[in-house]
Amino acid sequence: MTEEKQDHKWYVVHTHSNYEQKAKRSLEERIKVHDVEEDFSGILVPSEQTKKDSPGKKKTSNRKFFPGYILVRMALTDKTWHVVMDTPKITGFVGGRISPSTIPDHEVEALKAQLEEGMDAQAYKCEFSVGDQVVVMEGPFQNFSGVVDDTKPDKGKVRVLVSIFGRSTPVELSFDQITKK
């Protein structure tokens, strides 16, 4: 459902709050069942992954840009209108039944670019490399020294060999728990 078609336009569709993903999946299933795949070219739930730091915990959550709404790119016909409207968790088009409001393609593309930038901006920055001497700043190994054995930039973690009772012990730590010596 990604190819560009000239008669397809982006519409804002209202859903039950916190059911945007479920509404998207249901709509995708209904599109297949009713054999109207060529009339739909995109369904978007504008959201981004956010990282939350709290003492001792790191959480990621999915923050929706427009809670209770999804964007659907489609050719609006009586059949496609009914496919959307009869989908569970979808309550209607924004703009009314007769002429639902459309969003220009360039605005949706700008939104997609903003979503991508947000994901890239939140990527962890790895300032450590294998062999670096580090000191643990917090946690149960606070004030212990060690050597970086492995880095996992995608997870924001490193494996550090910490000397405990004269033996090197691998410990997995977050980037913010250690500092270079």
Side-chain angles (χ1 to χ4, degrees):
M1 278 196 280
T2 57
E3 72 182 69
E4 299 297 317
K5 298 197 177 181
Q6 296 297 28
D7 60 337
H8 289 204
K9 299 199 179 326
W10 283 103
Y11 294 91
V12 180
V13 176
H14 189 261
T15 67
H16 292 277
S17 282
N18 296 320
Y19 286 96
E20 297 86 358
Q21 289 294 339
K22 191 172 257 189
K24 177 185 177 187
R25 286 190 299 273
S26 295
L27 180 55
E28 289 169 341
E29 289 172 18
R30 287 184 51 76
I31 289 168
K32 287 179 186 163
V33 167
H34 290 276
D35 195 29
V36 289
E37 287 100 336
E38 70 281 350
D39 294 323
F40 290 83
S41 55
I43 303 172
L44 180 63
V45 180
S47 60
E48 67 178 354
Q49 291 283 17
T50 58
K51 296 178 180 82
K52 294 181 183 175
D53 291 342
S54 56
K57 295 181 184 174
K58 293 213 179 295
K59 273 176 125 175
T60 59
S61 64
N62 203 11
R63 184 180 74 82
K64 295 174 194 77
F65 276 28
F66 310 116
Y69 296 93
I70 61 174
L71 303 178
V72 179
R73 190 167 200 280
M74 59 185 269
L76 187 62
T77 65
D78 284 345
K79 186 173 185 176
T80 59
W81 186 88
H82 283 288
V83 168
V84 173
M85 290 302 296
D86 295 339
T87 301
K89 308 297 181 203
I90 289 180
T91 57
F93 285 91
V94 171
R97 181 183 175 123
I98 306 299
S99 59
S101 302
T102 62
I103 299 177
D105 286 349
H106 70 274
E107 286 186 25
V108 176
E109 292 306 316
L111 176 63
K112 286 180 182 178
Q114 182 182 353
L115 294 174
E116 287 298 317
E117 284 175 20
M119 287 179 195
D120 292 343
Q122 287 196 8
Y124 293 105
K125 293 196 171 45
C126 183
E127 301 170 359
F128 305 100
S129 54
V130 174
D132 284 350
Q133 296 283 326
V134 295
V135 176
V136 180
M137 302 302 293
E138 64 179 58
F141 299 100
Q142 186 172 359
N143 297 325
F144 278 70
S145 295
V147 178
V148 175
D149 183 48
D150 187 24
T151 61
K152 300 175 183 174
D154 56 323
K155 295 182 180 180
K157 298 198 178 268
V158 293
R159 186 172 60 219
V160 177
L161 297 176
V162 177
S163 180
I164 303 173
F165 302 119
R167 299 180 87 188
S168 288
T169 306
V171 179
E172 190 166 276
L173 301 164
S174 299
F175 290 165
D176 59 352
Q177 289 181 290
I178 60 174
T179 186
K180 287 184 182 180
K181 260 189 171 176

